[in-house]
Amino acid sequence: MAHQGAAEYINDHRKSFLERYSDLLYLAVATLGIIGSIFAGLYTKVTRIAPEKASELATAILDIGERTANATTMEAVDRLQDELETNPAKCRDRTARRHHLQRWAGYVQARL
């Protein structure tokens, strides 16, 4: 016969929190992962710009940038800036647009 303390330790039927709920926690984490993946896929599908449209936007921005590089007066640069600002589909990010035009305006001023 074993020592009473050793027998109680070996025959202990009390379960810890993780022993009781490990299966439930595993299923909850797996379910949340699947739900998160579904929402991420839907968000990407809804907010994504079509590749053709993105290509058109890039081409339009490059064209305006090229015309800005070839501009000889500040009025021409201002007209190009107005063209970008009046048609938001050509350049959606206002900060990037402003930075791009300021850089080209500095380049044009240095050439004049």
Side-chain angles (χ1 to χ4, degrees):
M1 178 153 170
H3 184 270
Q4 183 180 0
E8 286 178 12
Y9 178 77
I10 292 171
N11 295 328
D12 186 17
H13 296 293
R14 289 179 290 166
K15 292 184 177 183
S16 69
F17 178 81
L18 286 178
E19 288 173 332
R20 277 187 269 164
Y21 299 110
S22 64
D23 292 340
L24 183 62
L25 289 172
Y26 174 78
L27 291 174
V29 169
T31 303
L32 289 174
I34 291 170
I35 291 171
S37 295
I38 290 170
F39 279 117
L42 290 174
Y43 177 78
T44 302
K45 187 73 171 169
V46 169
T47 60
R48 184 171 178 260
I49 298 175
E52 298 84 22
K53 183 157 180 120
S55 175
E56 291 171 11
L57 290 173
T59 303
I61 291 170
L62 288 173
D63 178 50
I64 291 172
E66 191 174 303
R67 287 187 284 154
T68 305
N70 296 328
T72 56
T73 64
M74 285 306 295
E75 290 79 23
V77 174
D78 289 337
R79 280 194 305 271
L80 291 167
Q81 181 175 0
D82 292 339
E83 183 180 339
L84 276 176
E85 289 177 353
T86 56
N87 190 355
K90 288 189 177 179
C91 185
R92 295 180 185 272
D93 185 6
R94 181 179 294 180
T95 304
R97 179 175 58 226
R98 187 177 302 126
H99 172 73
H100 178 74
L101 285 171
Q102 286 172 348
R103 188 182 73 181
W104 282 110
Y107 173 76
V108 170
Q109 283 179 346
R111 285 182 34 195
L112 295 177

